Amino acid sequence: MTAAHTARTLSASASAPATLREMRWWDIEAVLVLERELFPDDAWSVGMFWSELADARHPGATRWYTVAEQGEGEGAERRIVGYAGLMAIAGEGDVQTIAVAQDQWGTGLGARLLQRLVDQAAEAECHDLLLEVRVDNDRAQRLYERFGFAPVGIRRNYYQPSGVDALVMRRQMTDADAGADVQGSEGTTDDGR
């Protein structure tokens, strides 16, 4: 395969919208690559992902994980360009993780992944949806605010080993949340512009 063919293939797959689907165990390796790229100081371990997925596919499941996959056509390379996870127990949901590959920033993929988590939380009959976000991650905070999350506290030294504080944000769920698209999420970017 020539360099020009590879460049055309990557360019074509980069322009195709990502498909959201359930995360499975065979996605962990690709998710870990992205996790380590985006969060080099406080990346989750392979064991953390295995543990989360172990509680995802049974009648009493409390975890739901989604991956965003890009690439189309027979024989085309497919790659994971984002992922997100939710924990829901006793009417309370918690966004466990959400991440989007840097070359996908500004495409709306972060909003699509977050909407998937909001929908899953509604389906799980959550009254509240919580998350933690690094205090220095303004882009993510703007996205969460667009989705109705509001700051409720700080967790000191939450992200380890870096020791960065986490801003705790909360969204009250409503009956209208399931399947509802957040006002303005279509056509806007992941960083709130």
Side-chain angles (χ1 to χ4, degrees):
M1 185 179 305
T2 68
H5 179 275
T6 301
R8 280 193 308 274
T9 302
L10 287 174
S11 175
S13 70
S15 63
T19 302
L20 302 185
R21 65 169 176 78
E22 178 184 9
M23 183 176 168
R24 300 299 304 271
W25 65 266
W26 51 80
D27 297 315
I28 292 176
E29 185 176 331
V31 165
L32 277 171
V33 169
L34 190 52
E35 174 82 4
R36 291 175 182 142
E37 274 178 30
L38 296 170
F39 311 111
D41 295 332
D42 42 28
W44 281 20
S45 68
V46 65
M48 291 173 77
F49 280 107
W50 273 104
S51 178
E52 289 295 295
L53 290 183
D55 200 11
R57 291 189 58 101
H58 57 82
T62 61
R63 306 298 196 276
W64 292 268
Y65 277 77
T66 298
V67 293
E69 190 174 50
Q70 195 172 56
E72 293 181 19
E74 200 169 311
E77 277 294 312
R78 298 193 60 78
R79 73 179 184 115
I80 302 295
V81 294
Y83 55 92
L86 173 76
M87 174 182 69
I89 300 174
E92 187 170 284
D94 191 85
V95 173
Q96 298 292 88
T97 187
I98 186 167
V100 174
Q102 286 185 352
D103 68 339
Q104 299 296 305
W105 290 2
T107 66
L109 181 56
R112 289 178 56 210
L113 285 165
L114 187 55
Q115 184 64 55
R116 174 69 60 96
L117 297 184
V118 169
D119 292 346
Q120 289 171 323
E123 191 173 313
E125 300 179 356
C126 293
H127 306 289
D128 292 308
L129 185 54
L130 297 160
L131 59 81
E132 293 86 12
V133 58
R134 288 174 65 109
V135 295
D136 58 0
N137 191 342
D138 295 329
R139 176 191 299 112
Q141 290 174 38
R142 287 191 302 271
L143 173 65
Y144 301 143
E145 287 168 356
R146 272 194 4 242
F147 273 73
F149 285 88
V152 295
I154 298 282
R155 293 185 193 215
R156 301 279 176 220
N157 301 311
Y158 182 79
Y159 293 97
Q160 293 300 320
S162 62
V164 174
D165 295 344
L167 176 65
V168 181
M169 300 182 82
R170 178 176 160 262
R171 173 195 168 133
Q172 287 188 299
M173 300 290 288
T174 67
D175 292 340
D177 278 326
D181 202 10
V182 170
Q183 184 86 21
S185 67
E186 286 300 314
T188 57
T189 64
D190 291 341
D191 63 357
R193 291 182 286 150

